[in-house]
Amino acid sequence: MEIKLTTLIMIAFPIWAAVDYFLGRRAKITAYLGEQSSFSLGGEGSPQVRTHFLIIANVGRRDAGNIRLGHKVLPEFKFLFPAREVPASLFTVSGLPDGGQEIIIPLLAPEQQVTISYIYPPPLSRKEINTYVKSEAGPSKLLNVLPLSQYSGWVSFIGVQFTEIALIAAFLYWAFIWARS
């Protein structure tokens, strides 16, 4: 049985497109944990404070619901939304059985992000504060962030396209070899 290359391509590309479309249509939460900073509030002998930030972003194509941020200790914090004021009903704080607390964000739209800035006294560190980030879409990994320059949109797009083309070419090569044997 001989399979023509054009027939194989006509079957493979729609399947690839459908898988890419349906796997991409979900909410996906990414959490970025910023480095800890320490400040003195005045001159010599003045109290010290520490601060860090947590950015929660919905990088998926659907609304993310019931986002939960776990804390062993919940210090003073402030929500920072880009270019708008945060209503008090946007989040709730609840206690956990182990004595920690949890911030609950009911909804985060696609491509929306929230920054939470924490301030606390020196005996605490950021590892003693943030424990997890999870939502209805599943758990999110807390990623440590470093300020890096990003590629422009067209460079990223071309990189993704070349990667997809390479995967499809490898699949077609394998299918062609399999069909000839």
Side-chain angles (χ1 to χ4, degrees):
M1 179 172 132
E2 187 176 323
I3 298 176
K4 292 185 178 181
L5 183 61
T6 56
T7 306
L8 191 60
I9 291 172
M10 289 172 54
I11 293 170
F13 276 113
I15 292 171
W16 182 273
V19 167
D20 184 46
Y21 179 78
F22 286 113
L23 289 180
R25 291 188 54 87
R26 59 184 176 90
K28 184 179 178 188
I29 298 295
T30 304
Y32 305 100
L33 189 58
E35 285 297 319
Q36 180 174 298
S37 301
S38 184
F39 299 97
S40 176
L41 294 177
E44 279 297 311
S46 63
Q48 295 264 331
V49 293
R50 291 183 178 168
T51 181
H52 75 274
F53 64 89
L54 177 66
I55 300 173
I56 292 99
N58 181 3
V59 295
R61 294 186 196 169
R62 294 219 173 173
D63 291 345
N66 199 19
I67 301 162
R68 299 177 172 275
L69 316 171
H71 300 83
K72 290 180 187 173
V73 176
L74 184 61
E76 188 174 329
F77 66 94
K78 183 169 178 87
F79 269 90
L80 305 169
F81 271 78
R84 66 177 140 147
E85 203 55 39
V86 180
S89 63
L90 183 68
F91 66 93
T92 57
V93 178
S94 66
L96 295 173
D98 64 355
Q101 289 184 307
E102 195 173 53
I103 298 174
I104 302 168
I105 303 171
L107 187 69
L108 200 60
E111 297 188 23
Q112 185 180 25
Q113 73 179 22
V114 179
T115 303
I116 304 170
S117 182
Y118 298 94
I119 187 167
Y120 44 93
L124 289 175
S125 71
R126 72 179 185 155
K127 293 186 187 326
E128 297 168 338
I129 295 174
N130 301 101
T131 55
Y132 61 83
V133 176
K134 62 183 178 180
S135 71
E136 291 173 349
S140 174
K141 190 174 178 183
L142 285 172
L143 304 171
N144 292 323
V145 292
L146 296 172
L148 299 172
S149 60
Q150 295 183 352
Y151 295 113
S152 62
W154 68 272
V155 172
S156 298
F157 177 77
I158 289 174
V160 168
Q161 297 307 312
F162 278 138
T163 303
E164 287 181 352
I165 289 170
L167 288 172
I168 291 169
F171 172 74
L172 292 175
Y173 177 76
W174 173 81
F176 184 71
I177 296 297
W178 177 76
R180 293 187 81 198
S181 61

